[in-house]
Amino acid sequence: MPRPEVTGRKIYGAVERAVYTISEFCEAHRISRAHYYNLKKLGQGPDEARASDRTVFITLEAAARWRRQREKAARA
């Protein structure tokens, strides 16, 4: 595919991610969905934001907080 600077097409900036879906969170943190739900059942999952009854998101802040908590638990 030709580069935009060659074709003259506008280059649109990528939209910065604000939230993860559960699948995206699992992929980004290299865990399975089953492991995610096991962590959630144990109260060790990240905080979730709900957009509707079925739509669940995890904010970047919640993901960072979850990583810090997991690192702290691993050191203990």
Side-chain angles (χ1 to χ4, degrees):
M1 174 176 235
R3 297 186 318 260
E5 62 270 18
V6 173
T7 62
R9 290 186 175 175
K10 288 185 179 181
I11 300 172
Y12 295 99
V15 175
E16 189 173 327
R17 176 184 303 275
V19 295
Y20 290 113
T21 62
I22 291 175
S23 294
E24 291 169 339
F25 176 85
C26 291
E27 183 178 337
H29 294 86
R30 302 181 61 91
I31 62 173
S32 68
R33 286 179 63 99
H35 186 59
Y36 173 86
Y37 288 110
N38 285 335
L39 289 171
K40 181 178 172 181
K41 191 184 329 180
L42 295 171
Q44 297 176 358
D47 295 330
E48 297 176 345
R50 295 194 174 269
S52 67
D53 289 341
R54 295 180 50 116
T55 307
V56 177
F57 295 112
I58 300 157
T59 64
L60 295 181
E61 295 82 5
R65 192 168 43 252
W66 177 80
R67 285 190 300 273
R68 285 191 302 274
Q69 290 171 346
R70 297 293 90 224
E71 290 167 0
K72 187 177 180 180
R75 285 190 296 259

